[in-house]
Amino acid sequence: MRMGRRIASTLKRTAIHALPTVLGIIVLDFLFLQLMPGDAADVMATEAGSATAETVAALRHQFGIDQPVLTQLANFLSHLARLDLGYSPRFNASVGNLIMARLPNTLLLMVSALTLALVLGIVVGSVMAAWQGKWPDRALSVVVLLFYSMPGFWVGLMAVVLFSVKLGWLPSDGNETIGANLSGFALVSDRLTHLILPALALASFFIAVYARLTRAAMLEVQRQDFMRTARAKGLHPLLIQLRHALRNALVPVTTVAGMNLGNLLGGAVVVETLFGWPGMGRLTLDAVLGRDYSVLLGVLLLSSFVVIVVNVLIDLLHAWLDPRIGATE
Amino acid sequence: MLALSGGSALAQTATPKKGGTLTFLQTSEPNTLVSLTTTATSALTNSAKVTEGLLEYDFDIKPRPALATEWSISPDGKTYTFKLRPNVKFHDGKPFTSADVAYSIQLLKTVHPRGRNTFANVTEVQTPDPLTAVIVLSKPAPYLIKALTAAESPIVPKHLYEGTDPVTNKNGNAPIGTGPYLFKEWVRGSHVIYERNPNYWNADLPRIDRMVCKFVTDPGARSIAFENGSGDIGYRTPVALADLDRLKKLPNLVFETDGTSYSYNVQLLQFNLDSQYFKDIKVRQAIAHCIDRAALLKVVAYGYGVVSYSPIAPGLKEFHDPTPSPYAYDLKKAEQLLDEAGFKRGPDKIRFKVPMDFNPVGDDGRRTCEFLRAVLSRVGIAVEIRAADLPTFAKRIYTDRDFDFTYNGHSNLFDPTVGVQRIYWSKNFKKGVPFSNGSHYDNPNVDALLEGAAVENDPVKRKAMFVEFQKIIAEEVPDISLFQPLYLTIKNKRVHDDSITADGVEANMAQVWLDA
């Protein structure tokens, strides 16, 4: 019952906050994009290697960038009000279709990476806290420090060199074996083998972050009174660690995870390019380099939605982890 | 019978096998699969697999039959008659006729970035019968007969384009043509799949069952794909030059240079002739005296290229003038010229500070600038290198003209009138148009030579005009041509007969076959 009220209030609050936030994001993005030198017609004409004044003018007209900036913004917003993200002449496709084709891939990669980072980070962090100052803590600290300081793409490259080139166990690019027409278990295992390396590359930095956070939070919790009480009433040490220590330690970890989501989306640009993963990160990069504002605005809009939705989920998770949070609202 | 020259090249290799899947690694994803409204390399790479052209060309750019089986040019150079291949069908079953040719040529003339110039003199395309097309010109266009490859001048189905906007036409996303491969699917951001056309007009072809074109944008990822065998072929040196030595040691890879003669590039240092420094010819001559092209080629391009003193590439043997620059490598001479121009060394030993830009396509731009910065610092010119992405670069050079000198590259294509004239013709100084006359060069003699050569029907007179043009450019140095890059096609050794025409893998690749 309380949970139901809780969900309702969170959703209400989010809706009130989200709409102006998203509108602000769109308008700011649009204006910032105007500051980038060169436009979509410049790119298309330059890529073509040949152009005439007529082709360049025709391109500008097609992209609608021969119109005043405010007219362009008004056009975009009026389309958006009808839930239409517009049409990209660069891709000769509607922006909605372009993004929807990529979104599942990016979500899969992001969720896998986030899960991997959280699970590994929490496990490693708990182990480090349990053996504080002993050799497992020391050894893992070194590994965590390495993951923390090495850029994800480099970890990815090294993993490719080892697992794809030297050992030949895992594929180095794409998200599936193209044209293999697999189904059932073969399909799942094919997708999984393609997923492992990019997810690891994207997760590596965050594994380190969550491991350190978990360790610190766990050590903090150990000193609390309720922990002594739990020990005094004779609970099994494992149960104490899991139900009392970890549950409390998870609050800061999940808070940070929610905030990291934006970074994860940014990191996806690099990892997707490196692994040829057909996701939104690469679409974003293509759109920036191609100055394709309609696609870029669509991507940014959807990304902000994803971030907002995930933050709602984290809010709800907090309510479950620690019912005191937000209870006063 | 012209086809025999290609046939004999084939005879040397082993018996072709049938079947298999070829994985073609491409460096960027195209915007469209038909190179009708763009000439971006990524579109040229894919277009011919489905959409064919009237002719194909051997390595010396001599025409061979494709959709046209015979052709003749009238002595005045104004009438081109093509006999078309009978019993050719588009992939949707409609017959291919002269109406498609006439319609495509008119489309190219109006919407193709180069076609506007290539076909500018076309007054009409007559279709006396379904298998004859006659192109009628107002003035001769001696380059036209070399412009008819599938990728450069695609012949599209009239019935799909008539009454539509050619740019947004759905045929660009899911093409239908007469070619050896049927379009199967395009997964954006990932790949395009083509399948064997069982009803191709040449019943023996194509040989492979399927071609997967994978878009791998990261050069490191492409190196790995060649290394572990997940990619079969890629062209225009699809890996970082620094990786080549390592890859060349691998037993499963082959490096070839065939099939790169349809379009040569010339890399150059281009001056803005409106710049306060470079409007003075003495300063430009001084810079020319600073450049040791052979050393530059070795350092920045790892030796993969040929030194060129001329904007017409050495590969265009018919027109290239190999005479070295009148301003040989000589730093003393350079200093003397700079003194004469009034740019004396200041108290800090520096004559002037100037920014240098570079075209970001390719991985040699920054290295070239660093090489030039080092040598120019020796004569007292302090260079500041400015990096930019492609649209920023294009806007700075061609629209804002906010630059002094830049490293750049131009494609010569199959003829100087098409590829070189645009850079030096004063009437092509057009703000906002990429790869137009970027230095703002204006010389009436050069204009007359270029305009004359464009309509000169006599090859000897035409060559003389281009040689004279090259002499003037060499003396006046509106830019400094540096070298013609050598592009490698990298492939797995199981791939055969992939590059058998002037445009190599940009052609239809109908003959390609794989070891089992």
Side-chain angles (χ1 to χ4, degrees):
Chain A
M1 200 55 221
R2 256 182 67 201
M3 200 64 203
R5 269 212 314 279
R6 175 62 190 244
I7 291 176
S9 85
T10 306
L11 287 181
K12 201 174 105 196
R13 184 158 37 94
T14 311
I16 294 169
H17 288 177
L19 262 177
T21 311
V22 167
L23 198 68
I25 289 174
I26 295 171
V27 174
L28 275 182
D29 282 342
F30 183 85
L31 295 176
F32 278 135
L33 292 177
Q34 301 299 322
L35 296 177
M36 294 207 295
D39 60 29
D42 283 327
V43 185
M44 298 266 290
T46 315
E47 282 175 345
S50 307
T52 58
E54 293 88 345
T55 26
V56 179
L59 281 170
R60 289 231 156 79
H61 181 67
Q62 236 178 49
F63 279 92
I65 45 182
D66 52 350
Q67 300 189 17
V69 171
L70 286 180
T71 317
Q72 290 178 46
L73 178 62
N75 281 345
F76 181 77
L77 288 177
S78 80
H79 275 110
L80 196 64
R82 282 170 270 149
L83 296 180
D84 173 10
L85 288 174
Y87 174 84
S88 161
R90 183 177 173 78
F91 292 91
N92 195 12
S94 91
V95 176
N97 289 347
L98 272 176
I99 293 178
M100 280 333 216
R102 307 285 191 100
L103 187 66
N105 291 331
T106 292
L107 283 182
L108 177 67
L109 181 61
M110 263 177 49
V111 170
S112 312
L114 196 64
T115 315
L116 189 70
L118 278 172
V119 170
L120 276 181
I122 291 168
V123 168
V124 170
S126 310
V127 169
M128 284 161 78
W131 278 274
Q132 186 203 358
K134 312 247 169 48
W135 70 263
D137 183 24
R138 303 255 163 107
L140 283 172
S141 295
V142 174
V143 176
V144 164
L145 187 67
L146 275 178
F147 270 45
Y148 190 74
S149 41
M150 286 188 303
F153 71 87
W154 194 79
V155 175
L157 271 179
M158 291 305 112
V160 165
V161 169
L162 180 63
F163 293 109
S164 308
V165 179
K166 299 285 176 211
L167 297 173
W169 291 352
L170 295 168
S172 58
D173 71 328
N175 67 333
E176 59 175 337
T177 307
I178 294 167
N181 289 329
L182 300 170
S183 61
F185 179 73
L187 177 73
V188 174
S189 94
D190 180 60
R191 289 295 175 103
L192 268 182
T193 52
H194 280 87
L195 183 61
I196 293 173
L197 291 182
L200 179 74
L202 192 54
S204 68
F205 173 77
F206 297 100
I207 294 175
V209 172
Y210 303 146
R212 291 171 137 208
L213 259 176
T214 309
R215 179 180 183 274
M218 290 281 274
L219 291 179
E220 175 78 31
V221 174
Q222 305 290 352
R223 286 195 285 272
Q224 305 282 332
D225 291 342
F226 67 84
M227 291 295 286
R228 203 171 30 207
T229 313
R231 271 194 290 273
K233 71 182 178 190
L235 281 180
H236 190 275
L238 192 66
L239 211 61
I240 300 178
Q241 290 301 326
L242 288 184
R243 191 175 290 167
H244 293 271
L246 189 60
R247 183 161 175 178
N248 280 291
L250 281 181
V251 174
V253 175
T254 46
T255 309
V256 173
M259 293 195 295
N260 279 341
L261 203 82
N263 303 13
L264 213 56
L265 269 173
V269 175
V270 178
V271 170
E272 285 179 7
T273 305
L274 189 64
F275 288 95
W277 189 268
M280 288 223 296
R282 263 179 77 194
L283 185 67
T284 314
L285 188 65
D286 288 348
V288 172
L289 294 178
R291 299 292 192 267
D292 193 333
Y293 302 147
S294 53
V295 172
L296 201 51
L297 283 170
V299 169
L300 292 172
L301 183 67
L302 229 83
S303 306
S304 40
F305 266 127
V306 171
V307 171
I308 287 170
V309 168
V310 172
N311 274 304
V312 169
L313 292 178
I314 298 246
D315 253 15
L316 296 175
L317 184 68
H318 280 171
W320 175 72
L321 284 172
D322 186 347
R324 287 168 303 178
I325 297 177
T328 50
E329 271 186 58
Chain B
M1 286 306 99
L2 281 156
L4 276 180
S5 57
S8 63
L10 289 177
Q12 297 160 10
T13 57
T15 321
K17 294 190 175 65
K18 291 235 171 195
T21 297
L22 177 84
T23 305
F24 188 168
L25 295 184
Q26 303 186 359
T27 55
S28 58
E29 184 165 12
N31 308 321
T32 168
L33 298 179
V34 182
S35 51
L36 179 67
T37 58
T38 177
T39 43
T41 303
S42 50
L44 298 179
T45 317
N46 286 284
S47 188
K49 312 300 177 281
V50 170
T51 310
E52 293 189 296
L54 287 175
L55 300 173
E56 58 176 50
Y57 301 85
D58 67 9
F59 295 142
D60 297 321
I61 323 191
K62 295 276 172 292
R64 299 197 304 218
L67 284 178
T69 50
E70 288 169 46
W71 55 95
S72 62
I73 307 171
S74 65
D76 65 356
K78 290 197 211 167
T79 311
Y80 289 62
T81 308
F82 295 91
K83 284 274 171 224
L84 305 180
R85 193 174 292 279
N87 306 319
V88 176
K89 287 198 160 47
F90 285 106
H91 297 164
D92 60 1
K94 298 255 169 39
F96 156 75
T97 69
S98 55
D100 298 300
V101 175
Y103 191 78
S104 299
I105 301 284
Q106 291 297 350
L107 262 186
L108 289 164
K109 190 186 165 185
T110 45
V111 298
H112 188 269
R114 283 196 282 267
R116 282 176 203 269
N117 295 331
T118 309
F119 297 104
N121 303 344
V122 173
T123 48
E124 65 167 330
V125 183
Q126 297 165 349
T127 51
D129 67 66
L131 293 178
T132 308
V134 184
I135 302 180
V136 183
L137 307 179
S138 55
K139 285 179 283 188
Y143 42 87
L144 187 71
I145 195 65
K146 296 178 181 171
L148 301 173
T149 63
E152 180 71 18
S153 301
I155 301 299
V156 296
K158 179 185 179 186
H159 60 274
L160 293 182
Y161 278 88
E162 211 168 20
T164 69
D165 173 6
V167 181
T168 55
N169 192 298
K170 291 294 166 215
N171 193 54
N173 292 344
I176 283 184
T178 57
Y181 298 101
L182 304 172
F183 168 80
K184 169 114 187 296
E185 66 169 13
W186 182 2
V187 176
R188 303 275 185 160
S190 176
H191 65 269
V192 170
I193 296 181
Y194 298 105
E195 286 192 334
R196 184 173 185 278
N197 176 5
N199 304 315
Y200 190 49
W201 50 260
N202 183 337
D204 298 333
L205 301 175
R207 290 160 174 158
I208 56 172
D209 292 333
R210 175 181 275 199
M211 186 187 299
V212 174
C213 297
K214 247 203 232 181
F215 311 120
V216 183
T217 50
D218 183 68
R222 292 194 293 272
S223 289
I224 287 164
F226 285 119
E227 206 169 342
N228 69 13
S230 62
D232 286 318
I233 193 167
Y235 80 125
R236 285 179 82 91
T237 318
V239 299
L241 291 174
D243 259 1
L244 277 174
D245 271 354
R246 184 174 63 84
L247 293 176
K248 281 190 163 173
K249 294 197 184 93
L250 298 175
N252 63 327
L253 297 182
V254 178
F255 299 77
E256 71 180 350
T257 54
D258 279 352
T260 54
S261 51
Y262 194 61
S263 181
Y264 291 103
N265 267 46
V266 174
Q267 304 302 109
L268 75 167
L269 180 64
Q270 192 170 26
F271 296 110
N272 180 353
L273 300 181
D274 301 322
S275 149
Q276 55 174 317
Y277 307 112
F278 301 123
K279 65 183 179 205
D280 186 339
I281 188 170
K282 283 192 173 157
V283 179
R284 304 200 301 268
Q285 289 168 342
I287 306 266
H289 276 302
C290 293
I291 297 175
D292 177 352
R293 288 174 175 77
L296 181 140
L297 178 64
K298 207 171 141 197
V299 172
V300 309
Y302 294 77
Y304 290 102
V306 183
V307 160
S308 181
Y309 301 98
S310 158
I312 298 183
L316 277 181
K317 296 183 206 91
E318 230 180 309
F319 305 105
H320 175 70
D321 175 9
T323 317
S325 160
Y327 316 111
Y329 179 62
D330 182 348
L331 296 185
K332 280 215 179 69
K333 192 86 213 277
E335 299 237 29
Q336 186 196 329
L337 280 164
L338 287 167
D339 282 339
E340 283 172 25
F343 294 106
K344 305 245 190 261
R345 283 186 187 256
D348 54 356
K349 299 271 182 196
I350 288 175
R351 295 177 193 275
F352 57 85
K353 283 192 178 132
V354 61
M356 181 188 278
D357 300 286
F358 61 92
N359 183 329
V361 176
D363 72 346
D364 57 339
R366 178 168 278 280
R367 282 200 300 275
T368 309
C369 288
E370 280 164 358
F371 180 96
L372 294 171
R373 176 173 64 184
V375 66
L376 291 179
S377 78
R378 291 173 62 191
V379 298
I381 298 173
V383 170
E384 177 216 339
I385 301 171
R386 291 194 295 204
D389 69 353
L390 194 62
T392 310
F393 172 81
K395 181 154 188 281
R396 180 175 277 157
I397 306 300
Y398 297 103
T399 307
D400 299 343
R401 303 199 50 75
D402 166 32
F403 77 108
D404 291 279
F405 57 169
T406 179
Y407 176 65
N408 208 346
H410 295 120
S411 174
N412 263 203
L413 298 153
F414 40 86
D415 189 276
T417 296
V418 183
V420 181
Q421 172 175 331
R422 55 189 177 150
I423 308 154
Y424 302 95
W425 191 30
S426 72
K427 287 172 198 162
N428 200 36
F429 171 69
K430 286 179 180 161
K431 279 197 183 182
V433 179
F435 306 116
S436 54
N437 179 347
S439 44
H440 197 181
Y441 182 59
D442 185 347
N443 180 334
N445 293 337
V446 164
D447 286 352
L449 285 168
L450 291 172
E451 286 163 23
V455 293
E456 178 53 64
N457 221 9
D458 177 348
V460 180
K461 280 190 199 157
R462 189 156 186 257
K463 162 148 196 186
M465 286 172 163
F466 278 124
V467 169
E468 178 66 19
F469 155 79
Q470 289 171 83
K471 226 176 105 197
I472 299 176
I473 295 298
E475 277 164 14
E476 300 204 329
V477 271
D479 52 35
I480 302 174
S481 295
L482 301 170
F483 65 97
Q484 164 195 309
L486 174 71
Y487 293 125
L488 301 179
T489 298
I490 303 181
K491 62 175 184 177
N492 196 295
K493 67 170 194 261
R494 75 190 192 109
V495 183
H496 304 276
D497 292 339
D498 43 276
S499 302
I500 52 169
T501 58
D503 53 350
V505 298
E506 278 181 8
N508 64 14
M509 288 181 90
Q511 313 254 11
V512 71
W513 59 277
L514 304 166
D515 286 330

